[in-house]
Amino acid sequence: MPGTGFKEFHTHVTLPATKEKMGEGEKYQLGTIGALSLSVVSSVSIVICNKTLMSSLHFIFATTLTSWHLFVTFCSLHVALKLRFFEHKPLEKKMVMGFGVLNGISIGLLNLSLGFNSVGFYQMTKLAIIPCTILLEILFLGKKFSKRIQFSLVILLVGVGIATITDLQLNALGAFLSLLAIITTCVAQIMTNTIQKKFKVSSTQLLYQSCIYQAATLLVSGPYLDKLLTNLNVFSFKYTTKVTMVIILSCLISIAVNFSTFLVIGKTSPVTYQVLGHLKTCLVLAFGYIIVHDPFSWRNILGIMVAMVGMIIYSYCCALESQQKPVEGGGQMSQVCIK
């Protein structure tokens, strides 16, 4: 996968040094697997929680809820910092502020895209993030992707498209909002990866410094966006004990979701994170059918199977190319899998 986490290392003449490097590579690989697993488990969990909140309890204020998620994440990281679970590493304030605001804007635009488009067109918007990310990385970062990786991504996207796209109703405003959502999301995720590597900051350090600006952006804009999309006021909603408890649970799960997002992108790449996101979409669809008996058709089953084949081929290609990297003497790889 792009950024499967295989750390680049070279063989040395002395055996102990080689073993040490291999040990570091294995630890890094295990850390990447842990990050991917945490992302899948936490994301699927929060989808289930939010589905209960919005479908059963009729709390449909998605953008405001996201702002609460980010604020709780910041508070939890602030406590962790005080308890010295991680060290604060200062970054340029303007850069971090711009990065946080951009992330907040991308979330708001994705919610607007869903509100002003059909579900099918919204799914197309999400699918377009991968090729757009690849294009931006090729144009501005000089990265290259092998034909094997491109082929596996095409299979994956076709599978997800078959499983999720039901209609493609198009309108000018919705299409414009989707285009803005795609661009801001791609840029924000590329920046997440670039900042962590360039300034050698951990995912926790970057998330702590940026999520307060992201939360502030959505705290201010969230109620207005939600009212625009739902014609309801979040402050007039009747907060029963059950609703409040589910909101709290959703906020607690979001800590793991937000942390794992930065962790996965930092250890791998924005493309890998998007691939993982489509895998989670398939898992949520399958869960809905098996556990809560959501309507399912042959298209859903076929799409999930095709997407899983694409995911397997993608993982295999990245693992294969990561093994070739040290053999080639540390030369530049033909794709971004193992940056």
Side-chain angles (χ1 to χ4, degrees):
M1 294 191 273
T4 41
F6 290 80
K7 181 178 281 187
E8 179 180 354
F9 61 92
H10 305 280
T11 53
H12 296 275
V13 176
T14 56
L15 186 60
T18 303
K19 286 185 175 180
E20 182 181 351
K21 288 291 183 180
M22 289 179 66
E24 290 177 2
E26 289 171 356
K27 288 179 181 179
Y28 194 81
Q29 183 178 353
L30 288 174
T32 303
I33 293 172
L36 295 171
S37 301
L38 176 62
S39 180
V40 170
V41 173
S42 60
S43 295
V44 173
S45 299
I46 203 168
V47 166
I48 296 167
C49 183
N50 290 348
K51 185 173 181 179
T52 300
L53 188 61
M54 295 183 181
S55 299
S56 302
L57 302 177
H58 309 294
F59 184 88
I60 55 176
F61 309 101
T63 309
T64 300
L65 180 63
T66 303
S67 70
W68 296 345
H69 288 169
L70 289 161
F71 183 72
V72 170
T73 298
F74 171 77
C75 291
S76 64
L77 288 176
H78 188 69
V79 172
L81 178 65
K82 294 299 181 183
L83 295 175
R84 297 184 178 179
F85 284 110
F86 69 95
E87 294 182 358
H88 178 66
K89 186 172 183 178
L91 292 170
E92 185 181 346
K93 192 171 182 179
K94 287 184 179 179
M95 178 190 68
V96 175
M97 183 183 297
F99 171 66
V101 171
L102 179 64
N103 268 292
I105 291 172
S106 70
I107 293 173
L109 286 170
L110 282 170
N111 286 340
L112 282 173
S113 174
L114 179 58
F116 283 91
N117 290 301
S118 65
V119 174
F121 193 83
Y122 175 71
Q123 290 296 340
M124 281 293 293
T125 298
K126 291 174 66 177
L127 290 178
I129 291 174
I130 284 182
C132 182
T133 300
I134 291 173
L135 179 62
L136 290 176
E137 289 189 320
I138 290 173
L139 291 176
F140 297 102
L141 299 180
K143 293 183 178 180
K144 296 181 180 180
F145 296 80
S146 70
K147 290 184 178 179
R148 289 179 296 188
I149 293 297
Q150 295 175 32
F151 175 70
S152 63
L153 288 174
V154 168
I155 295 177
L156 172 72
L157 295 177
V158 168
V160 176
I162 293 172
T164 59
I165 295 173
T166 54
D167 59 86
L168 288 174
Q169 298 175 12
L170 179 65
N171 65 83
L173 178 59
F176 178 69
L177 290 171
S178 292
L179 178 62
L180 291 179
I182 291 168
I183 294 172
T184 54
T185 300
C186 292
V187 173
Q189 291 181 359
I190 291 172
M191 285 182 67
T192 301
N193 180 270
T194 303
I195 291 173
Q196 289 187 55
K197 285 179 168 54
K198 181 177 180 180
F199 296 98
K200 292 181 172 58
V201 294
S202 69
S203 55
T204 309
Q205 291 168 330
L206 180 58
L207 178 60
Y208 171 68
Q209 294 185 61
S210 64
C211 72
I212 186 62
Y213 300 111
Q214 194 173 345
T217 302
L218 294 178
L219 279 169
V220 172
S221 62
Y224 297 101
L225 290 178
D226 286 332
K227 189 170 184 180
L228 177 66
L229 295 173
T230 66
N231 292 321
L232 297 173
N233 192 329
V234 64
F235 301 112
S236 301
F237 186 81
K238 185 178 180 181
Y239 292 88
T240 63
T241 302
K242 187 174 182 179
V243 170
T244 303
M245 292 303 294
V246 178
I247 289 175
I248 292 172
L249 177 60
S250 179
C251 289
L252 291 175
I253 298 173
S254 74
I255 297 172
V257 173
N258 290 324
F259 175 70
S260 64
T261 296
F262 277 62
L263 194 61
V264 168
I265 296 176
K267 283 184 172 292
T268 60
S269 76
V271 175
T272 294
Y273 178 72
Q274 285 300 322
V275 169
L276 190 67
H278 292 310
L279 172 63
K280 290 182 282 191
T281 298
C282 292
L283 290 175
V284 169
L285 284 173
F287 175 86
Y289 173 69
I290 296 170
I291 305 299
V292 298
H293 305 294
D294 282 345
F296 224 58
S297 68
W298 67 268
R299 283 188 57 183
N300 300 127
I301 298 171
L302 176 63
I304 289 175
M305 291 176 64
V306 173
M308 292 305 294
V309 170
M311 186 77 180
I312 292 169
I313 296 174
Y314 179 71
S315 302
Y316 172 76
C317 291
C318 285
L320 187 65
E321 295 188 18
S322 69
Q323 292 171 3
Q324 294 173 354
K325 190 173 184 179
V327 175
E328 293 170 359
Q332 188 70 25
M333 283 296 294
S334 59
Q335 44 87 18
V336 72
C337 282
I338 32 185
K339 289 295 282 184

